[in-house]
């Protein structure tokens, strides 16, 4: 589904990603872990099409298409979903109108009929249950005045509405208390199927108790330096990142 | 030195003025001659060089004559969904045959009301254009809302403008609203064709105690229209005056809006949107004068400027020494959509009382890139995402319009301009 080959990306002349290789197949959950500043969020942003990052080398194909050629909105319509680390507050744009515009533009791109108001509301009600989000929140402006937990739940709710094939969760767990974490993870797990894939970007292993990954990759200085299964995450939890850093840095000096 | 800074250009207009209201006109004339047209460096017109604009674009400074307006034109010009009464004007001349007879409302020509103290609210010495109008206006209308009358339906002041030989149009309105009365005006001008003309308008509003007045304006004129307006009102005890000014086009538009809070517990609200493109220049100069304790003023103007358009906002708040417990809030926010668009914004607070709550703020910025990316990342087309954000930006002012049909009409004009429907 997703194939990343030798991806290099920089921002304002500073190289952040220095040759990422990653294959993600339908039905899989990949966790990308790593210390702060290793390039985790950059990878998520580059995949979603954030313009500040310049891809200097490498390629990314998604369902056979060159993802890097597509505008952010077309990536979303193709089925890429980024759950933001910091969801944006947009005063004056109602959550419901925003979502209806988004859902119908995505449907149009996929050759589906737009949803009328009734069908849209029915869908919304159904998906709201997944993340236990209150209807009152959705009658407000998008993310405006939402708590941290509410914003993250709203991200997963949007994900449920847009039915992506590849979901990238960028530090969705950070700042969540255990209840919110459970709700968010439940939502993600219920949306999992053998047709879609999930990339979970996180600093902490805690989230992976709830969203169990098939593969765990450790990102350090812009490269994937170690890959394994969920046991690798346990090891990281126990030993921290220093042993990996030492391993890589000493290998580099040899 | 521009020739217009001398008064010669308007001498024929002044000479041809009607002979009624002799003392009023003399006062206007003297005041105009004393002030002259604003010079290039005149503080109040620093960013809006109206004198130069007139010199370049207007060649015949005599009155644009009234013309025939058909009932069909009126019908097709009234916005969809409007329910209310209608007063129609052609180049400032009132057309009673096309206007409604409004129950509870007295409407007459100003020339039939020789006792009116014109210029007692919009004083000629405050602005050269108010003085010019006072000296040389042709005629105008007097509207009176009796005490306790509740005019539930809005009154649409529909003005058709078109230069013929002359290019100067000087509408004048005197509105009296009795104690405890309520009324809503929608002031809309329509250009017939793209001729260059100069509108110099004066509206004086004399509100009563505990009266409620809404004054909405829609400025959507032709690309060669030049307009200066002076709207001024004294707000009495327990009364409220609210205005919303939507400016969408024109060549150069200058709005002077002056609210004088002269009775305690009075409230003055000024809201506006300028959504402009091309080379349109819109200048909103507002002035709220708190003279007594316990009054409140609220102000919010929002600007969206594309192409080479230019916006000016100047918001003066005076709080006099006696005006304790004043609440005065002012905000002006602008989004520039092009590198060539310019906005000059200037809050001006002069506070002499010591127990007041006043705040002001102004911002000039671009569209929020992070918000734009967020919308795109959800599958929304970039153009539409921009429209959605700008529409949300304007929405805060639009919602101040309490007449639903008019709000929806302005809403649709703004959505059309932003290039998307939501």
């Amino acid at each position: 589904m997703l194939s990343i080959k030798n991806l290099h990306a920089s921002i304002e002349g500073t190289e952040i990603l220095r040759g990422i290789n990653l294959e993600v197949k339908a039905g899989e959950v990949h966790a990308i872990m790593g210390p702060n500043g290793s390039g985790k969020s950059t990878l998520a942003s580059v995949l979603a099409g954030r313009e500040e990052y310049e891809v200097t080398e490498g390629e990314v194909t998604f369902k056979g298409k060159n993802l890097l050629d597509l505008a952010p909105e077309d990536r979303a319509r193709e089925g890429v979903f980024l759950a933001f680390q910091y969801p944006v507050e947009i005063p004056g744009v109602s959550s419901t109108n925003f979502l209806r515009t988004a859902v119908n533009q995505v449907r149009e791109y996929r050759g589906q009929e737009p949803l009328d108001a009734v069908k849209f509301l029915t869908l919304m009600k159904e998906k709201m249950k997944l993340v236990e989000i209150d209807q009152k929140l959705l009658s407000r402006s998008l993310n405006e005045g939402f708590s941290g937990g509410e914003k993250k739940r709203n991200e997963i709710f949007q994900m449920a509405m847009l039915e992506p094939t590849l979901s990238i969760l960028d530090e969705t767990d950070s700042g969540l208390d255990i209840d919110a974490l459970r709700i968010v993870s439940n939502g993600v797990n219920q949306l999992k199927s053998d047709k879609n894939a999930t990339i979970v970007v996180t600093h902490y292993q805690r989230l992976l108790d709830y969203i169990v990954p098939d593969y765990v990759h450790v990102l350090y200085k812009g490269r994937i330096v170690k890959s394994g299964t969920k046991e690798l995450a346990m090891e990281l939890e126990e030993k921290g990142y220093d042993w990996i850093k030492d391993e890589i840095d000493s290998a580099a000096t040899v | 030195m521009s020739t217009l800074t001398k008064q010669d250009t308007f001498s024929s207009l002044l000479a041809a003025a009607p002979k009624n209201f002799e003392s009023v006109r003399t006062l206007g004339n003297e005041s105009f001659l004393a002030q002259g047209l604003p010079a290039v460096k005149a503080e109040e017109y620093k960013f809006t060089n109206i004198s130069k604009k007139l010199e370049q674009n207007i060649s015949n400074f005599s009155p644009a004559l009234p013309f025939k307006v058909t009932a069909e034109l009126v019908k097709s010009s009234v916005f969809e969904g409007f329910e209310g009464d209608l007063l129609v004007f052609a180049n400032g001349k009132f057309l009673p045959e096309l206007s409604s007879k409004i129950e509870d409302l007295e409407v007459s020509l100003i020339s039939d009301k020789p006792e009116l103290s014109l210029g007692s609210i919009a004083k000629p010495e405050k602005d050269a254009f108010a003085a010019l109008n006072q000296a040389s206006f042709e005629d105008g209308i007097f509207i009176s809302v009796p005490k306790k009358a509740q005019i539930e339906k809005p009154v649409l002041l529909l003005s058709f403008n078109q230069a013929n030989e002359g290019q100067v149009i000087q509408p004048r309105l005197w509105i009296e609203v009795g104690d405890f009365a309520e009324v809503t005006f929608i002031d809309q001008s329509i250009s017939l064709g793209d001729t260059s003309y100069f509108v110099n308008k004066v509206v004086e509003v004399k509100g009563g105690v505990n009266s409620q007045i809404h004054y909405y304006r829609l400025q959507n004129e032709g690309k060669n229209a030049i307009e200066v307006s002076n709207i001024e009102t004294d707000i009495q005890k327990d009364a409220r005056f609210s205005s919303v000014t939507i400016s969408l086009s024109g060549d150069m538009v200058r709005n002077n809006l002056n609210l004088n809070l002269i009775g305690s517990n009075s409230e003055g609200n000024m809201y506006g949107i300028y959504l402009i493109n091309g080379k349109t220049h819109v200048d909103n100069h507002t002035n709220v004068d708190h003279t007594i304790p316990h009054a409140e003023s609220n102000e919010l103007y929002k600007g969206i400027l594309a192409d080479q358009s230019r916006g000016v906002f100047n918001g003066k708040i005076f709080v006099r020494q006696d005006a304790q417990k004043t609440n005065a809030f002012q905000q002006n926010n602008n989004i520039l959509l092009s590198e060539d668009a310019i906005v000059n914004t200037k809050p001006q607070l002069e506070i002499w009382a010591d127990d007041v709550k006043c705040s002001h703020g102004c911002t000039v910025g671009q569209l929020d890139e992070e918000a734009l990316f967020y919308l795109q990342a959800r599958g929304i087309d970039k153009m539409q995402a921009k429209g959605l954000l700008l529409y949300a930006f304007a929405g805060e002012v639009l919602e101040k319009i309490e007449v639903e049909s008019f709000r929806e009409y302005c809403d649709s004009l703004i959505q059309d301009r932003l290039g998307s429907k939501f």
Side-chain angles (χ1 to χ4, degrees):
Chain A
M1 175 187 289
L2 178 75
S3 169
I4 304 175
K5 290 199 175 102
N6 191 32
L7 182 65
H8 289 252
S10 50
I11 185 163
E12 289 167 0
T14 309
E15 190 170 50
I16 312 280
L17 301 183
R18 304 163 182 219
I20 302 263
N21 293 291
L22 183 67
E23 295 286 329
V24 178
K25 295 193 179 66
E28 295 177 349
V29 177
H30 289 247
I32 304 217
M33 303 186 68
N36 289 330
S38 58
K40 302 187 300 286
S41 283
T42 299
L43 176 61
S45 295
V46 168
L47 293 177
R50 202 184 274 276
E51 278 172 14
E52 302 95 282
Y53 295 95
E54 192 194 346
V55 173
T56 51
E57 216 183 318
E59 58 182 64
V60 180
T61 51
F62 177 65
K63 296 194 291 193
K65 287 190 183 166
N66 180 355
L67 190 70
L68 302 176
D69 272 355
L70 300 176
E73 57 268 38
D74 286 336
R75 298 182 194 200
R77 294 162 181 176
E78 285 287 345
V80 175
F81 181 91
L82 172 67
F84 279 54
Q85 182 176 6
Y86 304 109
V88 186
E89 296 195 15
I90 309 186
V93 172
S94 97
S95 297
T96 311
N97 280 352
F98 149 72
L99 212 48
R100 198 168 155 205
T101 307
V103 165
N104 281 336
Q105 290 212 351
V106 168
R107 290 181 67 90
E108 192 186 333
Y109 184 87
R110 296 177 186 167
Q112 297 163 311
E113 286 287 301
L115 294 181
D116 62 31
V118 178
K119 283 194 182 129
F120 176 78
L121 280 176
T122 314
L123 180 70
M124 218 171 82
K125 287 224 166 91
E126 179 196 321
K127 303 292 187 186
M128 274 161 53
K129 288 188 200 134
L130 274 180
V131 283
E132 301 171 34
I133 202 162
D134 195 336
Q135 179 131 29
K136 274 188 213 137
L137 277 185
L138 299 178
S139 61
R140 304 218 308 244
S141 285
L142 184 53
N143 289 327
E144 195 184 29
F146 285 28
S147 70
E150 287 169 341
K151 283 181 185 164
K152 296 297 175 78
R153 264 147 71 180
N154 195 17
E155 292 294 289
I156 306 306
F157 168 63
Q158 291 171 27
M159 176 176 141
M161 291 295 289
L162 293 169
E163 301 177 335
T165 39
L166 175 68
S167 304
I168 305 161
L169 311 182
D170 187 7
E171 308 256 358
T172 298
D173 53 327
S174 46
L176 292 188
D177 62 35
I178 203 75
D179 284 339
L181 183 68
R182 200 177 289 134
I183 292 169
V184 163
S185 310
N186 258 336
V188 174
N189 287 331
Q190 288 187 58
L191 293 169
K192 255 187 343 196
S193 79
D194 55 3
K195 293 195 178 59
N196 60 29
T198 312
I199 297 177
V200 183
V201 174
T202 181
H203 184 75
Y204 305 107
Q205 181 271 340
R206 182 183 67 155
L207 175 66
L208 307 180
D209 290 341
Y210 298 91
I211 304 172
V212 181
D214 300 302
Y215 301 97
V216 175
H217 311 277
V218 181
L219 200 60
Y220 180 56
K221 290 189 175 169
R223 286 194 192 93
I224 291 177
V225 295
K226 215 171 188 59
S227 293
T229 53
K230 63 180 179 192
E231 283 71 28
L232 176 59
M234 305 299 282
E235 201 177 348
L236 287 169
E237 172 75 358
E238 217 172 284
K239 305 200 317 207
Y241 287 106
D242 286 349
W243 63 281
I244 291 190
K245 287 190 196 172
D246 291 345
E247 213 176 288
I248 303 305
D249 293 341
S250 63
T253 52
V254 171
Chain B
M1 168 80 67
S2 127
T3 49
L4 281 185
T5 53
K6 299 183 186 123
Q7 284 65 49
D8 315 352
T9 323
F10 286 103
S11 55
S12 60
L13 189 74
L14 290 165
K19 300 294 170 223
N20 56 2
F21 292 102
E22 202 185 333
S23 61
V24 163
R25 288 184 191 275
T26 304
L27 211 60
N29 205 330
E30 284 168 358
S31 181
F32 179 65
L33 294 176
Q35 293 174 79
L37 281 173
V40 182
K41 287 186 181 145
E43 184 60 29
E44 293 298 315
Y45 283 85
K46 199 164 146 190
F47 300 113
T48 300
N49 195 341
I50 190 87
S51 304
K52 189 174 166 199
K53 180 61 78 179
L54 290 173
E55 183 180 33
Q56 286 173 343
N57 295 55
I58 304 293
S59 50
N60 187 337
F61 285 87
S62 58
L65 299 174
F67 53 92
K68 182 154 173 56
V69 172
T70 62
E72 289 71 42
L73 177 64
V74 172
K75 205 176 161 206
S76 64
S77 302
V78 172
F79 62 85
E80 201 186 315
F82 174 72
E83 271 182 55
D85 292 301
L86 193 62
L87 300 177
V88 183
F89 305 82
N91 284 349
K93 185 181 194 291
F94 180 51
L95 305 175
E97 65 282 8
L98 293 172
S99 302
S100 327
K101 300 273 172 290
I102 309 171
E103 204 182 331
D104 271 348
L105 209 72
E106 183 195 344
V107 178
S108 10
L109 293 175
I110 281 182
S111 53
D112 291 335
K113 294 274 172 186
E115 75 284 2
L116 277 182
S117 50
L118 296 173
S120 59
I121 299 173
K123 296 188 175 65
E125 63 271 21
K126 281 201 202 166
D127 183 82
F129 292 99
L132 176 66
N133 180 301
Q134 182 167 326
S136 57
F137 74 96
E138 287 285 308
D139 203 345
I141 58 160
F142 163 92
I143 301 171
S144 169
V145 184
K147 195 172 169 178
K148 292 190 197 165
Q150 215 184 340
I151 313 295
E152 281 177 16
K153 290 179 183 167
V155 178
L156 177 59
L157 308 166
L158 190 64
S159 305
F160 294 98
N161 293 329
Q162 182 182 43
N164 25 57
E165 258 175 56
Q167 294 172 280
V168 179
I169 301 166
Q170 297 201 85
R172 188 152 192 124
L173 274 79
W174 178 277
I175 298 170
E176 269 182 32
V177 181
D179 296 349
F180 304 95
E182 292 180 33
V183 64
T184 297
F185 294 99
I186 300 172
D187 181 343
Q188 184 188 1
S189 297
I190 292 175
S191 298
L192 299 177
D194 268 336
T195 52
S196 288
Y197 57 78
F198 169 49
V199 173
N200 179 30
K201 179 171 188 159
V202 174
V203 181
E204 292 179 90
V205 183
K206 188 179 172 190
V209 167
N210 213 131
S211 60
Q212 306 274 330
I213 305 167
H214 290 276
Y215 199 95
Y216 302 124
R217 289 184 87 187
L218 176 59
Q219 301 181 305
N220 196 12
E221 288 179 73
K223 64 177 190 295
N224 295 314
I226 303 167
E227 175 164 352
V228 176
S229 61
N230 277 282
I231 298 183
E232 183 146 358
T233 181
D234 293 338
I235 310 175
Q236 312 284 341
K237 188 175 183 305
D238 303 318
R240 182 162 61 128
F241 179 92
S242 300
S243 75
V244 182
T245 306
I246 312 279
S247 312
L248 301 175
S249 59
D251 182 353
M252 183 176 270
V253 176
R254 163 65 175 247
N255 299 318
N256 294 324
L257 176 62
N258 301 319
L259 308 189
N260 306 313
L261 294 160
I262 61 167
S264 66
N265 195 35
S266 56
E267 184 183 322
N269 301 313
M270 296 172 278
Y271 305 109
I273 295 172
Y274 38 104
L275 167 59
I276 49 179
N277 56 16
K279 291 189 170 181
T280 297
H281 179 124
V282 172
D283 176 351
N284 281 293
H285 255 65
T286 65
N287 186 353
V288 55
D289 190 358
H290 285 262
T291 63
I292 37 71
H294 296 286
E296 180 174 320
S297 64
N298 299 291
E299 178 163 30
L300 175 65
Y301 274 77
K302 292 207 169 192
I304 300 174
L305 299 101
D307 305 334
Q308 293 158 282
S309 62
R310 183 159 187 179
V312 180
F313 173 81
N314 191 107
K316 245 187 240 173
I317 301 177
F318 277 115
V319 181
R320 299 190 187 231
Q321 200 164 3
D322 290 339
Q324 301 294 358
K325 307 283 180 192
T326 284
N327 285 327
F329 307 106
Q330 180 190 92
Q331 188 78 34
N332 172 234
N333 306 110
N334 299 280
I335 292 181
L336 301 180
L337 296 177
S338 102
E339 290 192 0
D340 298 322
I342 298 175
V343 71
N344 298 98
T345 171
K346 183 177 166 197
Q348 224 181 323
L349 276 69
E350 229 176 275
I351 301 169
W352 299 98
D354 53 16
D355 184 12
V356 300
K357 271 190 216 154
C358 290
S359 73
H360 69 93
C362 52
T363 60
V364 180
Q366 278 82 37
L367 213 52
D368 181 351
E369 290 292 331
E370 186 63 18
L372 191 59
F373 176 65
Y374 189 68
L375 297 178
Q376 284 180 272
R378 297 295 174 255
I380 300 174
D381 172 77
K382 189 174 188 177
M383 282 303 290
Q384 192 156 4
K386 277 187 182 176
L388 197 62
L389 291 174
L390 292 171
Y391 175 66
F393 176 77
E396 205 184 339
V397 172
L398 267 183
E399 70 190 26
K400 305 293 184 189
I401 299 175
E402 291 176 26
V403 176
E404 198 182 336
S405 60
F406 183 60
R407 185 177 62 243
E408 281 171 4
Y409 177 59
C410 292
D411 199 276
S412 71
L413 290 176
I414 286 173
Q415 288 192 27
D416 284 350
R417 180 66 69 80
L418 295 173
S420 38
K421 289 271 177 199
F422 310 111

